[in-house]
């Protein structure tokens, strides 16, 4: 069979039951958009939650070779019924406590996702699970591929993390089954080493390294966005796109910023992303005094991709102080948009510098004195040096674009097809 006809009538599905509000949904969005852009010869069915499909307007995009399908088992728990307040929460409680394991009632009512997947996926040739967390292995005789972005559930970083104890135990049980019955995609050498640490007996042949590109879509309408005016940000600012989770190391950024303010009194710190809307007020040595007046810290909450691009472009630089991540998602966006990057020196982030040949100022994320020192250093850089950093990064980031990403996925699909 010739290569060009290898995937003819080959049925492929993408499953994204979570619609992760952080990088997960952006990753899914880029994967779909670029498969449509570069590989229209392959037909894909995308199954997602109604919440994420609506929030990220996936069903509004022009995706000629991709069909968007809602997961019916998630509808009642996500949206409730008749727009009644708290009805979704009530259904979620009823389904989890009384109905989940009832095989005689339709999965729409029980919320049994696995039963729905087992029914709908049985006739596909290959199924990609874009966010295989807190989901049990469905009983289907179909080739399965899981994309493991990180192993957050293996660690505790303090505070309310991404998983509670019950979820951690469940995720460990589930993933033990997944890795034995699936092909595995990892997005960095660091995450590959993490995988081998936790699952040393899985064959190397099942492991595939496919990196990601910038997660935010490129937009050209930057001058039309008045987000700074809307939030009354009227002076120079540092941008921190993030979510309010302990591994994002926000506490050390706050402590560092307080020190920086002593020499840069008019400087502002702007957070954006899910959960950041509480971060509004005055900078203190170890916290934010929540206030609407005389703010020097702004938490914008979730922003659109156009707004994020604008904020990156207008900021002094983009900062990411994470202590554990699959990669620097905000850094990838900033390198592409054209803004300096200041970031943790953790392995996954440093890997960007080596592989992509981009530029960044790095710091020890566990030392807020070092963070403040590197912030001040970057603020003092000459315009020429900043422009050199931006120019080199913007040029080299294009050496590995989403075209490369989806080509690698496409080649993996062809390889798996040949090996059947």
């Amino acid at each position: 069979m010739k290569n060009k006809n290898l995937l003819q009538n080959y049925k492929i599905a993408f499953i994204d039951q979570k619609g992760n509000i952080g990088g997960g949904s952006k990753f899914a969005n880029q994967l779909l958009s670029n498969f449509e852009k570069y590989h229209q010869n392959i037909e894909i069915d995308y199954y997602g939650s109604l919440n994420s499909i609506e929030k990220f307007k996936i069903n509004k995009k022009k995706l000629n070779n991709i069909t968007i399908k809602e997961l019916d088992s998630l509808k009642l728990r996500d949206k409730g019924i008749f727009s009644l307040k708290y009805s979704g929460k009530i259904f979620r409680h009823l389904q989890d406590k009384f109905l989940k394991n009832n095989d005689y009632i339709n999965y729409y009512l029980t919320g049994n996702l696995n039963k729905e997947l087992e029914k709908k996926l049985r006739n596909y040739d290959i199924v990609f699970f874009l966010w295989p967390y807190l989901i049990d292995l469905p009983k289907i005789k179909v080739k399965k591929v899981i994309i493991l972005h990180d192993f957050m559930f293996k660690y505790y970083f303090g505070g309310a993390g991404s998983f509670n104890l019950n979820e951690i135990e469940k995720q460990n049980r589930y993933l033990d089954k997944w890795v034995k019955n699936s092909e595995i995609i990892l997005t960095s050498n660091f995450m590959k080493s993490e995988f081998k640490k936790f699952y040393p007996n899985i064959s190397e042949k099942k492991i595939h390294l496919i990196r990601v590109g910038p997660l935010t879509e490129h937009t050209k309408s930057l001058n039309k966005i008045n987000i700074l005016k809307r939030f009354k940000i009227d002076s120079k600012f540092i941008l921190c796109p993030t979510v309010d989770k302990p591994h994002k190391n926000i506490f050390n950024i706050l402590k560092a910023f307080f020190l920086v303010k002593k020499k840069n009194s008019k400087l502002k710190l702007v957070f954006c992303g899910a959960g950041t809307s509480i971060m509004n007020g005055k900078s203190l040595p170890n916290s934010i005094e929540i206030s609407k007046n005389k703010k020097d810290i702004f938490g914008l909450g979730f922003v659109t991709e156009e707004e994020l691009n604008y904020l990156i472009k207008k900021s002094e630089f983009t900062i990411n102080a994470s202590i554990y991540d699959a990669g620097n998602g905000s850094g990838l966006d900033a390198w592409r948009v054209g803004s300096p990057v200041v970031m943790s020196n953790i392995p996954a982030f440093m890997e960007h510098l080596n592989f992509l040949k981009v530029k960044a100022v790095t710091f020890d994320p566990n030392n807020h004195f070092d963070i403040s020192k590197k912030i001040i250093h970057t603020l003092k850089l000459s315009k020429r040096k900043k422009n050199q950093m931006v120019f080199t990064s913007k040029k080299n980031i294009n050496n590995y674009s989403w075209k490369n990403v989806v080509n690698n996925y496409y080649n993996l699909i062809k390889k798996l097809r040949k090996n059947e």
Side-chain angles (χ1 to χ4, degrees), residues 312-313 315-319 330-331 334-335 338-342 359-361 378 381 385-387 389-390 393:
I312 290 172
K313 191 70 176 176
S315 69
E316 294 300 297
F317 56 80
T318 297
I319 189 169
S330 61
W335 286 316
S339 177
V341 172
V342 180
K359 301 292 183 181
V361 175
T378 309
L381 284 176
K385 288 186 177 179
K386 282 185 179 180
N387 287 341
M389 287 179 64
V390 168
S393 299

Side-chain angles (χ1 to χ4, degrees), residues 317-320 328 335 340-345 349-350 353 358-364 370-371 373-379 381 386 389:
F317 56 80
T318 297
I319 189 169
N320 188 337
N328 187 355
W335 286 316
V341 172
V342 180
M343 68 182 193
S344 304
N345 60 6
F349 286 12
M350 298 303 288
L353 305 187
V358 289
K359 301 292 183 181
V361 175
T362 62
F363 54 73
D364 176 0
D370 189 41
I371 299 174
K373 179 181 176 182
K374 297 303 171 57
I375 289 174
I376 292 169
H377 164 77
T378 309
L379 290 170
L381 284 176
K386 282 185 179 180
M389 287 179 64

Side-chain angles (χ1 to χ4, degrees), residues 198-256:
F198 296 120
Y199 305 98
N201 298 320
I202 300 301
S203 170
E204 181 79 21
K205 293 180 180 179
K206 294 177 62 176
I207 303 171
H208 311 278
L209 177 60
I210 303 181
R211 300 175 188 275
V212 300
L215 296 175
T216 301
E217 288 190 89
H218 179 65
T219 56
K220 295 181 180 180
S221 58
L222 296 182
N223 295 326
K224 299 178 182 178
I225 301 168
N226 64 351
I227 190 170
L228 296 181
K229 185 177 180 180
R230 191 190 325 155
F231 287 98
K232 299 179 181 178
I233 303 169
D234 56 2
S235 60
K236 292 182 178 180
F237 67 95
I238 299 167
L239 180 67
C240 182
T242 188
V243 292
D244 63 335
K245 296 297 180 183
H247 68 283
K248 294 299 185 180
N249 200 23
I250 292 168
F251 184 53
N252 271 329
I253 293 182
L254 296 178
K255 291 201 293 182

Side-chain angles (χ1 to χ4, degrees), residues 355-357 392-401 404:
F355 178 75
L356 295 171
K357 308 302 180 187
T392 300
S393 299
K394 196 169 184 178
K395 176 185 174 184
N396 291 342
I397 193 80
N398 292 322
N399 292 333
Y400 190 80
S401 65
N404 301 105

